[in-house]
Amino acid sequence: MALPALYLSPHPHSAHNARVLVALEYGGRRARVGARAGAGEGAAGPTVAGLPAVEAGSGGHVWGGAAVAHLLAPAAMGGCGSEGAALVRQWTSYADIELLPIACAATFPALGLSKPNKQAVDRALVELRKTLRFLDDHLRLRTYLVGEKITLADVAVSCALLLPYQHVFNPEFRKPFENANRWFETCVNQPEFRRALGEIKVCDGRPPESGEKSAGGLCRGAERVVEGSPLPTGGPGHERGAPQTAPASAPTPVKKTPAQLKKEAAKREKMDKFLQKQEKMKEQQEKMPEKKPKVEKKEKKDLGVITYDIATPPGEKKDVSCPMPDSYSPQYVEASWYSWWEKQGFFKPEYGRDLSQPNPKGVFMICIPPPNVTGSLHLGHALTNAIQDSLTRWHRMCGATTLWNPGCDHAGIATQVVVEKRLWRESRQTRHDLGRQRFIEQVWRWKHEKGDRIYHQLRRLGSSMDWDRACFTMDPKLSAAVEEAFVRLHEDGVIYRSTRLVNWSCTLNSAISDIEVDKKELGGRTLLPVPNYPDKVEFGVLVSFAYTLEGSGEEVVVATTRIETMLGDTAVAVHPRDPRYQGLAGKFAIHPFCDRKLPIVFDEFVDMEFGTGAVKITPAHDQNDYEVGMRHGLQFINIMDDNGYLINVPEPFLGMKRFDARKAVLEALTQKGLFKEVKDNPMVVPVCSRSKDIVEPLLKPQWYVRCGEMAKMASDAVRSGELRIIPDTHVKTWFSWMDNIRDWCISRQLWWGHQTPAYFITVNDPTVPAGEDADGRYWVSGRSLDIARRKAAERFNVSPDLISLRQDEDVLDTWFSSGLFPFSIFGWPDQTEDFKIFYPGTLLETGHDILFFWVARMVMLGLKLTGKLPFKEVYLHAIVRDTHGRKMSKSLGNVIDPLDVIMGISLEGLHSQLLDSNLEPAEIERAQAGQKSDYPNGIPECGTDALRFALCAYTSQGRDINLDVNRVLGYRHFCNKLWNATRFALRGLAEGYQPQDTAQRSAQESLMDRWILSRLSHAVETCNRGLKLYDFPTVTTAIYNFWLYELCDVYLECVKPVFAGEEGPVMWTARDTLYTALDIALRLISPIMPFISEELYQRLPRRRPHHPPSISVTPYPQSEECDWRDEELDRNVDFALSIIRTTRSLRADYNLTKTRAHCYLKCQDQATADLIRPFSPYIQTLSSCMSVSVLVGESCPAGCAIGIASDRCSVHLLLKGLIDAEKEVTKLRNKREEIEKQLAKLREKMSTADYSTKVPQKIQEMEAEKLRQSETEQQKVEEAMRNFEKMM
């Protein structure tokens, strides 16, 4: 089928071209480029006026940048849901109608594409500055314009801003708009943008060179395609990505239709009018006297770095007697507090109480999911710790005996791999060169060097752990618990020895767990790198070959994705109901390389529809085949050793590496005429996450845990409600795993870890036959060698001196020791005081991805070994992914150290971290490209509190979090709001202020005093409820709304006139109210934002002399303490605030930035007027009006702008005398003409006979929305004109 034709505008700087090419990249579509000028619709393509355009499926064309981009882009880029789609359409319409004209007006003169007109350029730059300010504010807490992923809104607006950013937005112009700049650079550094437009360089302040007139700007985008080949500029037939052999000839001129001639005449007329207007304006400007240059407004000062420079020994309290800095700085705020908290023992459960006495408020105990000792934490760990610390601090402040127990996991495979790589890099030695004991010494040395990094990170995150109770899974206390658990379970028959298939890594020479196997999905033939192979290996293909039947010469064709395993085939299986093979019962196929007879077996696991319906069976190298082999008593032939070399196979394959044998077997089958075909086959390839090796199923004698009975106990605990899983969406997964559980392989062929306390028995007595490794009878476990020898002697009824024991060299799976963590940390099996008080724990909080691998095993082992559940509740948070929704991966460059977000880091710093990692050079290059795309300017300093708050705000009870690190910066600005609010409050409280002993209301509070206390009461109730239900977004929203929108935006503005007035009861009451609001609001945020809350709280005066020394041990606000809710007052203030918002909107519409106007509130009835009148002073203050008058039945003065606050009240803002009405009417009349032309064009297009059949449905919806928006805008313009005409 022919590819659709894409027609691009011939303009070298067309933003519409850029938008279409980017959309084409995202859509992954292919197109051929048609003629781009001159031809009519009936010839090569649409007219230039309609370009860009693309052929529609029905044979017609879709015109215009917005419509073509919408058609070519994936549906998801059109917006999520009806609301998202409407917002995307709104932004794209804004880009076309509002933004693109001013962008061209500002840049075309600089590029020599239009005559210079300083006034027009200056006016355009003013409008662009307003646009950037608007975008900067909109993007303060957002990554993209709409939703969490890039949409057509981002494409349209960024493409409209390409020329200004390239040619006129110099560094000084861009500086105030940090969020907008970050968003723009994020967009243009996306791979799709770069493939379509090339590298976009922003303006460096130099004027464009002459050569840039034709070669700069967007023309490069019109010469690129998805595949990276030049885009043809000739006529039809040139395909995107196809090589260009010769330039296409110019299109033949075509006689234009009357409609085309009419349109061109209208355009000429419009251009003549425009030029006449420009000339007239120029003459008027020359006659006017010179204006004095405007004094430029000072740009908003960036939040700088302020440091705490007072010498404070570690553990001593920070000095807060000095004045507060002008702005918030994380480095200043976070200095010195943690070491003081730790030294004072605030995080210990013993603080302020006797553990031997019961606490009526209960015990809260949580243990950390022990991070791997192998290196550093990432943002997923930061999320875990932000949640756990917020809960721990909340419970501590609520009065519970609280323990958060830290610890670290020895991470068997991960740690051994890291140390082996380091050993080879530094001394070119392997662990075998050193020997087991010396190698383990090397690992311990590495642990002592590097292991403290994680604890340092946890402290920087503010984690309130009891560090005196920190545990490491290889510590003697925990190692003794591992040994005890193994011996008990082995003696009970729960642990047993068996030979089964395991996930084997040839590179690691070890079995690995399922969680360490990455499932790599392939769409078809793919070449993958494999360790120790110089060339990439082919996967994703299905090879068909034939087996010859014994005695008949007939063939049975089978297919496989692993052709080398046919050397270990011991049967061919078919479905018992497959009519094609009913005659093969009792027959055999002959193996072509070793004359082995392969029985034809009938088994229902065979899929009759897949391939030929006949399946080769390799029981020793495939899980399904293993089960078939067990059912039919087949021979198990292991053809691979631990290193991936072939064994038990005929020459010439013997000793070959497994993937070298793949090619050799295929060649040998071809020579024998048995090869049939090879074709693409979508499949999943198992890859070892540690070594990147292809995982092989191998038969190995290993230790297994019998899980059936324990899994039933775990399931029953959830069914009965004794164990609660939150959110309950994971309960179904829990039952699915527990009810279908397989026995657990706990053997690992490593040196680092807990060596299995099991011993192989050799009896030095000729009457006792020698045992085999897989025979469990010849294995004994024991807490010591002597105990094991006595047990062995009793078993074989011989003297202990006839027993020789060899300890199993394997170590136990890391998850085995982790599964014991909730009770091994307290000294189990000993009944210690900590074990009695803190076990079972209260809560287990972790990511849902390890629900089975860790949580289920803790529950099973806890119930089996202690008879109790290890915890009462399990809270599973979502998994952190990057802003694009990708899994965090070092090779992608998107694994971010939380400390880099807290302290900030340059792009070069991010790159240098990769150089210190264990990544291969190709992976480093790919990761650096990813970092440059996501963090072109590095990561700004955000601080711990902002990071914690952002992580908790993201934590919906779902499955994934697409975390944009740049969004965290928005919460640093929130911290600055808290800082400035407290600075203002401390000035308002005045020196020497002493608060009341308790927070209570008097009878003298003003309306707004009562209102802020009511809102505070609501926030307290919401936060306590949210923390109890693990609903963290509700908590952060309540905190954010109270501080920002209620305390800062409303109440502080209302009390400013009070504090500026005279001393008296009104001021004293306002001070008490403000102190209460600050005191309680700081305690509300303390669990989530510990550093800034402590810093500000320590600067407040105390109610009583013997108040708790730190906010971290101060009681958390409770509803009983803050019983001030007044819902009726809340509704009335909301009504007053709606009036204020309407008034502010009118002021903004008429650009009354500094001018104060008289405001008239026209009420529907007297009751409404009576409700509003007490709020008139606050409305006047918050809406910056000259006066506020409340009217019922009276007429407002002529010359007012009108806004509707509600169906009961309208706002009338007196504009007469404040603005030039005639000038405003002229501007609006011109705008109305533009809108009418747009409407006429749209209606004409939509009224064509075949519009509903030829134009795609989503384009129709988009244009219908555009029509509706234009009609609404037309109504607003006409209403505004009528208002202004009344003033003339």
Side-chain angles (χ1 to χ4, degrees):
M1 189 174 77
L3 294 172
L6 173 64
Y7 302 90
L8 297 177
S9 168
H11 197 294
H13 297 275
S14 169
H16 293 303
N17 280 0
R19 188 197 307 190
V20 166
L21 290 169
V22 171
L24 195 59
E25 290 289 345
Y26 274 103
R29 306 277 290 275
R30 287 175 61 82
R32 57 190 174 84
V33 175
R36 300 200 293 178
E41 172 79 42
T47 59
V48 173
L51 297 179
V54 70
E55 281 183 342
S58 56
H61 291 87
V62 175
W63 296 276
V68 174
H70 201 81
L71 180 64
L72 296 177
M77 291 188 72
C80 182
S82 56
E83 183 180 348
L87 288 171
V88 170
R89 288 194 290 269
Q90 180 177 312
W91 279 105
T92 52
S93 175
Y94 167 75
D96 288 338
I97 297 171
E98 302 284 347
L99 185 53
L100 199 51
I102 58 174
C104 294
T107 52
F108 277 12
L111 295 170
L113 298 173
S114 65
K115 291 182 179 179
N117 184 323
K118 186 176 185 305
Q119 189 176 11
V121 170
D122 289 346
R123 190 164 57 247
L125 288 174
V126 169
E127 293 301 318
L128 284 172
R129 193 182 291 274
K130 288 181 182 178
T131 296
L132 288 184
R133 189 176 297 116
F134 168 66
L135 284 173
D136 197 68
D137 187 61
H138 179 76
L139 292 162
R140 187 176 299 279
L141 298 179
R142 296 177 175 88
T143 306
Y144 298 112
L145 297 177
V146 180
E148 296 297 328
K149 295 183 179 179
I150 202 163
T151 64
L152 286 172
D154 301 283
V155 175
V157 178
S158 60
C159 286
L161 288 171
L162 278 172
L163 286 178
Y165 263 102
Q166 287 179 293
H167 300 291
V168 297
F169 289 175
N170 59 40
E172 198 64 28
F173 190 97
R174 297 193 303 267
K175 187 177 180 181
F177 311 115
E178 188 177 82
N179 299 308
N181 298 335
R182 179 257 304 164
W183 161 82
F184 179 79
E185 290 180 356
T186 299
C187 288
V188 299
N189 279 294
Q190 297 298 312
E192 293 80 6
F193 272 79
R194 293 172 73 90
R195 288 198 297 268
L197 308 177
E199 185 177 359
I200 302 298
K201 293 184 178 178
V202 296
C203 178
D204 58 4
R206 296 181 299 106
E209 298 173 7
S210 58
E212 289 180 47
K213 290 182 182 180
S214 59
L218 308 185
C219 63
R220 183 175 182 185
E223 295 171 358
R224 293 183 63 85
V225 295
V226 171
E227 294 83 356
S229 305
L231 187 68
T233 56
H238 286 281
E239 183 182 318
R240 288 176 47 94
Q244 199 172 339
T245 55
S249 57
T252 307
V254 177
K255 187 176 180 181
K256 295 180 180 176
T257 64
Q260 291 171 333
L261 292 170
K262 181 181 177 183
K263 186 180 286 187
E264 290 184 3
K267 286 181 73 175
R268 282 196 299 273
E269 182 183 354
K270 183 178 178 181
M271 181 57 73
D272 290 341
K273 285 183 180 179
F274 175 75
L275 293 173
Q276 290 171 10
K277 184 178 177 182
Q278 292 292 318
E279 192 64 34
K280 186 177 179 182
M281 287 175 63
K282 188 176 180 181
E283 290 174 4
Q284 290 175 349
Q285 194 174 1
E286 288 172 353
K287 292 177 183 177
M288 289 174 65
E290 282 191 23
K291 287 185 179 180
K292 291 182 179 179
K294 286 185 179 180
V295 178
E296 288 191 11
K297 290 176 70 176
K298 287 186 178 180
E299 292 178 347
K300 187 177 177 181
K301 187 179 178 183
D302 287 338
L303 297 176
V305 175
I306 304 169
T307 57
Y308 173 74
D309 298 325
I310 299 174
T312 305
E316 295 300 310
K317 188 175 180 180
K318 185 175 182 179
D319 184 354
V320 291
S321 62
C322 55
M324 291 176 68
D326 290 342
S327 62
Y328 166 77
S329 173
Q331 289 190 34
Y332 181 91
V333 168
E334 294 169 20
S336 296
W337 287 122
Y338 195 92
S339 62
W340 177 64
W341 291 334
E342 192 175 343
K343 184 178 179 181
Q344 293 298 312
F346 297 145
F347 304 156
K348 298 182 71 62
E350 295 90 349
Y351 180 80
R353 62 175 48 89
D354 182 357
L355 291 184
S356 64
Q357 301 299 316
N359 182 350
K361 294 188 177 179
V363 173
F364 177 80
M365 187 274 155
I366 183 172
C367 64
I368 188 175
N372 288 354
V373 73
T374 43
S376 61
L377 304 181
H378 53 65
L379 286 176
H381 296 111
L383 171 64
T384 300
N385 283 276
I387 292 172
Q388 292 182 10
D389 194 37
S390 298
L391 291 169
T392 301
R393 287 175 178 270
W394 176 62
H395 280 282
R396 184 182 293 117
M397 293 176 74
C398 288
T401 302
T402 304
L403 171 62
W404 184 15
N405 209 110
C408 222
D409 190 89
H410 66 277
I413 291 178
T415 304
Q416 181 160 315
V417 168
V418 169
V419 177
E420 283 194 86
K421 284 186 176 180
R422 172 178 163 173
L423 185 64
W424 180 256
R425 189 169 58 245
E426 293 178 354
S427 63
R428 284 294 185 265
Q429 287 182 303
T430 69
R431 61 185 167 110
H432 300 284
D433 295 330
L434 290 183
R436 184 168 189 148
Q437 189 58 41
R438 288 180 60 203
F439 177 75
I440 291 174
E441 290 171 3
Q442 286 284 335
V443 180
W444 276 108
R445 187 176 297 118
W446 178 89
K447 189 266 178 189
H448 293 315
E449 289 174 10
K450 304 289 186 181
D452 286 343
R453 175 172 172 76
I454 288 174
Y455 288 167
H456 169 67
Q457 288 176 304
L458 290 172
R459 286 179 166 91
R460 283 304 307 266
L461 286 167
S463 304
S464 59
M465 299 173 177
D466 182 357
W467 292 104
D468 291 340
R469 286 178 165 89
C471 295
F472 179 50
T473 50
M474 290 290 286
D475 286 344
K477 179 174 69 174
L478 278 71
S479 296
V482 170
E483 183 178 73
E484 179 68 23
F486 184 93
V487 172
R488 286 193 189 187
L489 295 174
H490 184 238
E491 289 175 344
D492 289 348
V494 176
I495 289 180
Y496 64 96
R497 188 80 169 170
S498 180
T499 301
R500 298 184 181 183
L501 284 178
V502 296
N503 297 317
W504 188 263
S505 168
C506 297
T507 300
L508 297 176
N509 276 162
S510 177
I512 58 176
S513 66
D514 289 343
I515 200 172
E516 289 156 334
V517 179
D518 294 334
K519 306 291 193 296
K520 189 174 185 66
E521 295 187 13
L522 307 180
R525 182 180 182 274
T526 307
L527 295 176
L528 297 179
V530 179
N532 303 317
Y533 285 83
D535 300 322
K536 291 185 177 182
V537 179
E538 180 183 64
F539 295 90
V541 295
L542 191 67
V543 179
S544 297
F545 69 97
Y547 275 123
T548 305
L549 293 179
E550 182 184 32
S552 68
E554 294 179 66
E555 291 183 342
V556 177
V557 178
V558 295
T560 179
T561 57
R562 300 159 64 213
I563 188 64
E564 68 279 7
T565 62
M566 65 85 60
L567 296 169
D569 285 358
T570 58
V572 173
V574 296
H575 197 281
R577 291 194 299 274
D578 193 331
R580 295 170 292 181
Y581 302 113
Q582 293 303 310
L584 298 185
K587 293 190 176 182
F588 293 85
I590 302 299
H591 199 289
F593 302 129
C594 59
D595 295 331
R596 185 187 307 135
K597 290 186 178 182
L598 313 180
I600 309 298
V601 299
F602 291 81
D603 198 291
E604 291 190 349
F605 107 95
V606 178
D607 181 359
M608 290 187 286
E609 304 300 322
F610 182 75
T612 62
V615 181
K616 59 184 284 298
I617 302 297
T618 320
H621 293 281
D622 180 271
Q623 187 61 49
N624 289 324
D625 293 4
Y626 175 86
E627 293 171 3
V628 173
M630 294 296 290
R631 284 195 292 271
H632 296 276
L634 299 177
Q635 186 180 6
F636 286 69
I637 301 175
N638 183 17
I639 65 164
M640 208 173 295
D641 70 7
D642 293 352
N643 298 303
Y645 288 88
L646 297 197
I647 57 174
N648 301 323
V649 296
E651 294 285 357
F653 311 111
L654 186 64
M656 280 188 178
K657 293 167 73 174
R658 51 185 168 152
F659 296 124
D660 292 340
R662 177 171 290 186
K663 297 177 183 177
V665 169
L666 192 59
E667 186 178 334
L669 287 171
T670 304
Q671 291 174 356
K672 287 181 175 286
L674 297 174
F675 169 73
K676 297 301 178 184
E677 66 171 350
V678 59
K679 61 182 180 182
D680 278 14
N681 178 60
M683 63 181 292
V684 174
V685 176
V687 179
C688 174
S689 63
R690 304 295 180 188
S691 65
K692 307 306 176 188
D693 196 5
I694 306 300
V695 174
E696 289 289 345
L698 283 190
L699 276 177
K700 290 286 180 183
Q702 308 274 273
W703 291 105
Y704 286 86
V705 176
R706 211 181 303 276
C707 295
E709 181 186 343
M710 293 192 296
K712 184 180 183 304
M713 293 165 62
S715 286
D716 290 345
V718 174
R719 286 192 173 96
S720 68
E722 191 181 358
L723 176 64
R724 185 165 167 246
I725 296 177
I726 308 163
D728 56 12
T729 50
H730 297 291
V731 170
K732 184 178 179 182
T733 305
W734 177 269
F735 290 141
S736 174
W737 280 337
M738 294 295 100
D739 296 344
N740 299 284
I741 198 167
R742 292 182 176 181
D743 288 354
W744 169 21
C745 173
I746 56 172
S747 293
R748 297 292 180 268
Q749 289 64 45
L750 304 170
W751 287 356
W752 172 245
H754 297 104
Q755 190 170 355
T756 309
Y759 303 84
F760 185 76
I761 304 167
T762 301
V763 183
N764 301 314
D765 186 335
T767 63
V768 180
E772 294 184 359
D773 187 276
D775 188 347
R777 186 166 172 265
Y778 282 83
W779 285 92
V780 66
S781 61
R783 297 169 184 85
S784 69
L785 192 62
D786 289 341
I787 293 173
R789 181 174 284 108
R790 287 200 300 270
K791 288 168 69 175
E794 290 173 9
R795 179 177 301 171
F796 288 98
N797 196 25
V798 297
S799 171
D801 58 348
L802 295 178
I803 297 293
S804 297
L805 297 179
R806 171 181 55 83
Q807 187 173 1
D808 189 351
E809 292 190 352
D810 293 351
V811 300
L812 296 173
D813 182 9
T814 301
W815 294 105
F816 186 79
S817 53
S818 297
L820 308 174
F821 198 73
F823 47 94
S824 64
I825 58 176
F826 298 127
W828 180 89
D830 297 335
Q831 297 295 304
T832 64
E833 282 301 310
D834 274 6
F835 183 83
K836 293 173 184 176
I837 296 170
F838 297 114
Y839 186 82
T842 311
L843 172 71
L844 189 282
E845 192 282 336
T846 188
H848 67 73
D849 56 332
I850 55 174
L851 176 61
F852 175 71
F853 294 102
W854 187 43
V855 181
R857 287 165 177 171
M858 282 190 288
V859 172
M860 291 192 299
L861 291 171
L863 286 169
K864 181 68 178 176
L865 294 169
T866 72
K868 297 177 182 178
L869 284 166
F871 28 75
K872 303 176 185 72
E873 292 183 322
V874 177
Y875 174 66
L876 302 168
H877 66 245
I879 301 304
V880 179
R881 298 183 181 275
D882 71 5
T883 186
H884 310 293
R886 301 174 304 180
K887 185 178 178 181
M888 296 288 187
S889 165
K890 289 181 181 178
S891 61
L892 290 175
N894 60 2
V895 174
I896 299 300
D897 185 335
L899 300 192
D900 292 339
V901 182
I902 291 170
M903 298 186 291
I905 189 171
S906 65
L907 179 62
E908 293 73 21
L910 289 170
H911 286 350
S912 67
Q913 289 178 352
L914 294 173
L915 298 176
D916 293 335
S917 68
N918 286 313
L919 294 178
E920 299 296 328
E923 291 179 316
I924 289 176
E925 187 176 348
R926 184 166 64 248
Q928 287 181 339
Q931 288 177 339
K932 186 176 181 181
S933 173
D934 288 344
Y935 313 110
N937 297 316
I939 297 173
E941 180 193 36
C942 298
T944 300
D945 291 317
L947 174 61
R948 288 170 58 117
F949 196 88
L951 290 167
C952 289
Y954 263 112
T955 308
S956 60
Q957 293 184 359
R959 298 192 68 83
D960 292 316
I961 295 171
N962 293 356
L963 180 65
D964 176 16
V965 172
N966 292 304
R967 180 171 164 181
V968 181
L969 186 62
Y971 291 113
R972 173 180 166 160
H973 296 302
F974 175 55
C975 290
N976 198 53
K977 271 283 189 184
L978 307 185
W979 187 265
N980 288 334
T982 306
R983 284 183 71 223
F984 166 80
L986 289 173
R987 288 198 303 271
L989 294 177
E991 191 174 347
Y993 169 77
Q994 179 58 47
Q996 303 292 327
D997 286 351
T998 57
Q1000 56 186 1
R1001 271 183 43 184
S1002 68
Q1004 299 181 350
E1005 283 87 4
S1006 69
L1007 276 173
M1008 297 313 286
D1009 289 337
R1010 286 163 44 208
W1011 173 76
I1012 197 64
L1013 292 176
S1014 175
R1015 299 313 301 156
L1016 182 61
S1017 179
H1018 174 68
V1020 168
E1021 180 186 347
T1022 304
C1023 287
N1024 278 293
R1025 184 175 64 250
L1027 287 165
K1028 187 176 181 180
L1029 298 174
Y1030 309 115
D1031 186 358
F1032 295 96
T1034 293
V1035 177
T1036 54
T1037 301
I1039 289 170
Y1040 192 86
N1041 288 348
F1042 176 78
W1043 272 95
L1044 197 63
Y1045 300 129
E1046 293 167 352
L1047 183 65
C1048 294
D1049 286 0
V1050 178
Y1051 184 69
L1052 293 186
E1053 295 300 320
C1054 289
V1055 298
K1056 280 179 181 178
V1058 176
F1059 290 158
E1062 295 182 359
E1063 287 277 346
V1066 174
M1067 183 184 290
W1068 300 335
T1069 304
R1071 282 175 177 162
D1072 287 341
T1073 303
L1074 178 56
Y1075 177 87
T1076 296
L1078 276 180
D1079 170 42
I1080 293 175
L1082 287 171
R1083 284 187 277 147
L1084 278 183
I1085 67 170
S1086 181
I1088 297 177
M1089 308 176 89
F1091 290 102
I1092 191 171
S1093 60
E1094 186 75 83
E1095 178 79 26
L1096 298 178
Y1097 187 77
Q1098 292 290 345
R1099 294 176 182 273
L1100 289 181
R1102 294 286 181 268
R1103 291 191 184 276
R1104 299 188 188 93
H1106 302 294
H1107 203 77
S1110 166
I1111 195 172
S1112 63
V1113 289
T1114 302
Y1116 196 77
Q1118 300 296 326
S1119 296
E1120 300 78 25
E1121 173 192 353
C1122 312
D1123 187 19
W1124 307 311
R1125 189 75 192 277
D1126 187 337
E1127 295 186 20
E1128 183 181 358
L1129 178 59
D1130 288 350
R1131 288 192 294 271
N1132 292 344
V1133 174
D1134 281 346
F1135 185 36
L1137 291 175
S1138 70
I1139 293 171
I1140 293 166
R1141 285 191 291 270
T1142 305
T1143 310
R1144 287 174 172 175
S1145 179
L1146 285 173
R1147 289 174 56 80
D1149 288 345
Y1150 296 103
N1151 201 25
L1152 301 178
T1153 52
K1154 293 183 178 178
T1155 308
R1156 290 176 175 265
H1158 294 284
C1159 178
Y1160 299 88
L1161 305 179
K1162 193 165 185 179
C1163 300
Q1164 185 184 38
D1165 49 44
Q1166 189 60 45
T1168 304
D1170 292 341
L1171 188 155
I1172 293 173
R1173 198 167 278 113
F1175 294 100
S1176 296
Y1178 305 118
I1179 294 172
Q1180 180 179 343
T1181 298
L1182 294 174
S1183 58
S1184 302
C1185 290
M1186 181 72 72
S1187 66
V1188 174
S1189 303
V1190 182
L1191 308 177
V1192 181
E1194 304 169 54
S1195 298
C1196 296
C1200 285
I1202 304 172
I1204 306 301
S1206 78
D1207 57 346
R1208 296 185 291 160
C1209 178
S1210 57
V1211 178
H1212 298 250
L1213 206 61
L1214 185 59
L1215 301 180
K1216 193 170 184 179
L1218 300 179
I1219 59 175
D1220 186 339
E1222 187 174 350
K1223 183 178 177 183
E1224 296 295 328
V1225 169
T1226 303
K1227 283 164 59 178
L1228 289 169
R1229 191 175 289 123
N1230 292 335
K1231 189 168 186 178
R1232 183 179 64 180
E1233 288 177 8
E1234 291 176 14
I1235 295 171
E1236 286 172 348
K1237 288 176 182 177
Q1238 291 171 6
L1239 285 170
K1241 185 178 178 182
L1242 268 173
R1243 287 169 179 152
E1244 181 183 358
K1245 182 179 179 181
M1246 296 169 74
S1247 63
T1248 54
D1250 54 357
Y1251 178 79
S1252 60
T1253 56
K1254 284 192 173 182
V1255 177
Q1257 183 63 34
K1258 62 178 180 179
I1259 302 299
Q1260 291 186 41
E1261 293 172 2
M1262 187 183 74
E1263 290 180 336
E1265 176 66 20
K1266 191 174 180 181
L1267 179 68
R1268 188 191 64 76
Q1269 288 178 358
S1270 298
E1271 288 172 343
T1272 303
E1273 192 175 1
Q1274 183 185 36
Q1275 292 171 4
K1276 288 184 177 180
V1277 167
E1278 290 174 348
E1279 183 182 352
M1281 286 176 63
R1282 287 193 295 271
N1283 286 333
F1284 282 124
E1285 284 166 353
K1286 291 177 185 177
M1287 303 179 203
M1288 293 168 60

